[in-house]
Amino acid sequence: MMQGYIRAVDAINYRVGRVMMYGIFVLMGILLWSSISKTFFLPSLWTLEMAQFVMVGYYILGGPYAVQMGSHVRMDLLYGGWSIRRKAWFDLVTVLFLMFYLSVLLYGAVASTAYALGYFGSAPFSFFGDLITGAEEIGRMERSSSAWRPYMWPIKTVMIVGLFLMLLQCLSELFKDVLRLKGVSA
């Protein structure tokens, strides 16, 4: 069962990560247009904020792929000399801390997205449940305070998806560590 979960989550995050790799070109295009419009035309209002939104998506949705590939920076002074079993124990403990941290971030992202959709209560998860069933309605939506004034809910939704995928990937890494400790290859 663990191996099936690992294969499914790794496949999803691999594909999302490979697509998000091209987000850097989207970012470059936006910044290039910003430079051109400032030099030859009237400056565009949307370019700086859109570049920030693209960078958030690039970073948040590419994070699970980086975890899967082991691309994050590690303190290798001690870790590099450890046995596979000791590394698995250490990774198992640290991934639990990471999952707690990501859970707190996910709760905050859900609450922030509910706020962006006009919900000002204290139960953001029930808001989304009621929104699906029709018992709740979208209120006055949050907009950026910039001159462009885009709605904030799309980027906040990207944060929820990215954090959720990161949690799934962390659980996959946890299962890989458990299987390593049992002597089974993931």
Side-chain angles (χ1 to χ4, degrees), residues 31-44:
L31 294 175
L32 178 64
W33 174 252
S34 177
S35 298
I36 291 170
S37 70
K38 285 177 186 173
T39 304
F40 300 111
F41 312 111
L42 288 174
S44 299

Side-chain angles (χ1 to χ4, degrees), residues 53-168:
F53 290 164
V54 169
M55 190 63 187
V56 166
Y58 176 76
Y59 179 77
I60 292 285
L61 294 174
Y65 177 74
V67 168
Q68 179 184 2
M69 295 293 128
S71 300
H72 287 293
V73 177
R74 291 184 191 258
M75 180 65 179
D76 207 26
L77 183 64
L78 300 173
Y79 188 85
W82 290 349
S83 68
I84 292 174
R85 187 168 177 78
R86 188 168 187 181
K87 286 180 185 178
W89 272 112
F90 188 77
D91 289 344
L92 190 137
V93 170
T94 56
V95 81
L96 290 173
F97 287 114
L98 179 59
M99 289 174 72
F100 173 75
Y101 176 68
L102 290 171
S103 298
V104 172
L105 285 179
L106 182 62
Y107 180 81
V110 168
S112 183
T113 305
Y115 177 81
L117 291 171
Y119 176 73
F120 304 107
S122 61
F125 285 96
S126 66
F127 164 73
F128 285 107
D130 291 344
L131 195 62
I132 291 170
T133 62
E136 186 73 56
E137 292 182 11
I138 293 176
R140 185 161 189 248
M141 289 195 241
E142 178 187 16
R143 296 184 82 139
S144 173
S145 60
S146 69
W148 181 38
R149 296 193 38 79
Y151 289 108
M152 297 303 292
W153 69 266
I155 194 62
K156 291 183 177 189
T157 303
V158 168
M159 287 191 326
I160 289 174
V161 171
L163 289 169
F164 183 70
L165 288 174
M166 181 67 93
L167 265 171
L168 293 179

Side-chain angles (χ1 to χ4, degrees), residues 11-47:
I12 291 168
N13 284 329
Y14 182 82
R15 286 181 182 89
V16 171
R18 297 298 287 190
V19 169
M20 289 314 299
M21 285 175 130
Y22 297 105
I24 197 74
F25 297 114
V26 174
L27 179 64
M28 288 169 46
I30 291 169
L31 294 175
L32 178 64
W33 174 252
S34 177
S35 298
I36 291 170
S37 70
K38 285 177 186 173
T39 304
F40 300 111
F41 312 111
L42 288 174
S44 299
L45 296 175
W46 58 270
T47 54

Side-chain angles (χ1 to χ4, degrees), residues 174-186:
L174 178 80
F175 287 162
K176 288 175 190 175
D177 293 329
V178 168
L179 290 175
R180 274 188 212 106
L181 288 171
K182 288 184 173 184
V184 179
S185 65

